Amino acid sequence: MQYNPGWNGSSVNLLHVRAAGPGDSLHYVWSSIGAPAVLLVATRSPSSALRVNWTQLLSPSPAGAVWIEPPDSVVYSTAVVFTKLFEFSEAKPSGELFYPTYDLSEFSWDSLNHTLNHTALTAELSGAPATDPGGGFANGSLAFRVTAYEASGRAGRLPGLLHTADSSQLEFVLAGVAPRGNGSRFALEVATVEEAGAVRRLRSERSIDDEYTPTIFEVLSLLAESQNGSSTLGFLQWKATAYGSRSPRREDGIRCRAQGLQAGNWSLPTSSIVQAYFGESLGSTCTISALNVSFGGEEGQVYQEKRYLSWSVLLGFGQPPRDTFSALVISIAAVALGTPLAMLLLGTCLVLLARRRRYSEYEPIN
């Protein structure tokens, strides 16, 4: 993990996370220059390196300021941008009432160098609006917590996402922000950038297994696939829940919904790291997609009571990890299903044996 590689200042944030394998390497570049974003690049070289022209990156024309060396080692690149935070409430019978939008490209962000932990591979990017006329952020903040992984495993806190060494976890946290209405709900706009040849698709999977995330049976994945659908290039994956506590428990769950994936070549809000890498192709050959992830619903006013919201999402390359039944669940199921079957077989054998003994006591008349 490198903070602002090649730059001595801390007025801007750029975090480079590199994972090296025997024949390839993966790069995650997190930044709050403009709208907060992450650039994901996979290369076929184990020694590929990130290069940054800081003078150009911090200029009004950052195209070409960020690249991977050697350039021909890059096999796949994408970006995820967190653009806006919406606040709305149910205003019946007229429908939903939206308050002025929080544009994340206009936030002021703290230096994440103070939160960087090279041992745990974590960092936190925290900020608030540069101008806040309503005072909603007077005692609150919005944060993105990043966790990188060196091996496969599972997060220790709910929702307990399964991860691999090819993935990183992002936790979106809204803490202490005063809602502007009774029953306010929030929605985060997430945009993705794909180069020519790749498309995004939203997939929902349901399972009867809620062992690691109690009462939650749905997993959503935002997949980047080749246009012919032959392979999955990257993903965002999350459980259909958020939590309203710093130490989340099942009862702190907040409903989470993905409100449709929209594709279009509209202009992204200012996000220098994305413009710096994709350059002119951002407005021509690249495909931009976006969806809103909303939090809250019929389960009650969890955020109103605790003023805390956390949502975890996994980002990575290739196929997203899939949960399977643990040995404990398989054992319980085997006992639950096997015991009645064993009793039935044993009972049948005893009945047949009893009938045979009963008739064996008599000699035939003829």
Side-chain angles (χ1 to χ4, degrees):
M1 301 179 75
Q2 297 174 294
Y3 175 69
N4 288 352
W7 179 260
N8 293 326
S10 59
S11 57
V12 295
N13 290 308
L14 189 149
L15 177 65
H16 175 220
V17 182
R18 178 175 174 269
D24 55 8
S25 57
L26 308 175
H27 300 265
Y28 292 84
V29 186
W30 304 85
S31 174
S32 64
I33 303 173
V38 56
L39 173 68
L40 297 88
V41 184
T43 74
R44 62 169 64 93
S45 169
S47 58
S48 61
L50 175 73
R51 297 288 183 256
V52 181
N53 182 329
W54 282 95
T55 302
Q56 187 176 354
L57 178 62
L58 300 178
S59 71
S61 302
V66 174
W67 70 97
I68 298 293
E69 231 173 49
D72 59 359
S73 68
V74 176
V75 293
Y76 173 65
S77 56
T78 185
V80 181
V81 188
F82 303 94
T83 52
K84 298 175 182 177
L85 179 69
F86 300 101
E87 182 182 350
F88 59 98
S89 62
E90 300 287 348
K92 298 179 180 179
S94 58
E96 295 175 339
L97 171 65
F98 279 82
Y99 298 96
T101 302
Y102 292 114
D103 189 338
L104 301 189
S105 66
E106 298 177 356
F107 271 44
S108 175
W109 301 95
D110 299 335
S111 172
L112 62 76
N113 192 37
H114 304 303
T115 65
L116 189 57
N117 187 324
H118 289 274
T119 303
L121 300 179
T122 59
E124 180 174 325
L125 183 65
S126 179
T131 57
D132 186 20
F137 278 79
N139 298 308
S141 65
L142 181 152
F144 295 97
R145 295 174 181 168
V146 179
T147 304
Y149 298 107
E150 292 182 312
S152 298
R154 186 180 299 278
R157 287 163 28 105
L158 289 176
L161 294 176
L162 182 67
H163 62 258
T164 67
D166 296 343
S167 60
S168 294
Q169 181 172 293
L170 177 72
E171 184 181 3
F172 166 71
V173 177
L174 199 63
V177 178
R180 289 173 285 186
N182 294 326
S184 281
R185 295 164 57 187
F186 293 92
L188 179 66
E189 184 180 73
V190 182
T192 62
V193 179
E194 295 293 336
E195 291 184 308
V199 294
R200 285 278 176 176
R201 181 173 66 88
L202 182 64
R203 183 180 72 188
S204 172
E205 291 184 330
R206 293 184 177 273
S207 169
I208 62 172
D209 183 16
D210 69 337
E211 178 183 4
Y212 301 105
T213 313
T215 73
I216 304 301
F217 302 94
E218 184 181 13
V219 178
L220 295 106
S221 301
L222 185 57
L223 304 175
E225 299 178 333
S226 56
Q227 287 189 334
N228 59 12
S230 61
S231 62
T232 300
L233 305 172
F235 65 88
L236 278 77
Q237 184 186 64
W238 64 95
K239 296 286 185 75
T241 185
Y243 292 95
S245 172
R246 298 180 188 274
S247 301
R249 300 167 298 173
R250 180 185 62 81
E251 54 267 30
D252 299 318
I254 299 175
R255 186 170 183 178
C256 172
R257 296 177 178 175
Q259 299 179 340
L261 180 65
Q262 298 181 353
N265 287 324
W266 62 83
S267 298
L268 282 173
T270 304
S271 181
S272 294
I273 193 69
V274 176
Q275 296 166 347
Y277 181 82
F278 290 100
E280 299 300 326
S281 64
L282 189 61
S284 55
T285 59
C286 289
T287 301
I288 301 173
S289 305
L291 58 76
N292 292 336
V293 181
S294 65
F295 313 101
E298 299 82 356
E299 72 281 352
Q301 309 299 329
V302 178
Y303 182 81
Q304 295 278 15
E305 296 172 0
K306 300 185 178 180
R307 295 200 178 181
Y308 188 88
L309 167 69
S310 69
W311 171 64
S312 298
V313 57
L314 195 71
L315 304 90
F317 298 89
Q319 286 280 0
R322 290 199 172 190
D323 265 322
T324 57
F325 291 104
S326 69
L328 176 63
V329 171
I330 294 175
S331 301
I332 294 173
V335 172
L337 297 176
T339 300
L341 181 60
M343 293 178 66
L344 179 62
L345 292 174
L346 180 61
T348 302
C349 293
L350 290 175
V351 169
L352 292 175
L353 183 60
R355 291 181 62 185
R356 184 177 179 182
R357 285 182 176 177
R358 176 183 176 185
Y359 291 107
S360 66
E361 295 175 358
Y362 297 92
E363 294 293 336
I365 296 176
N366 297 322

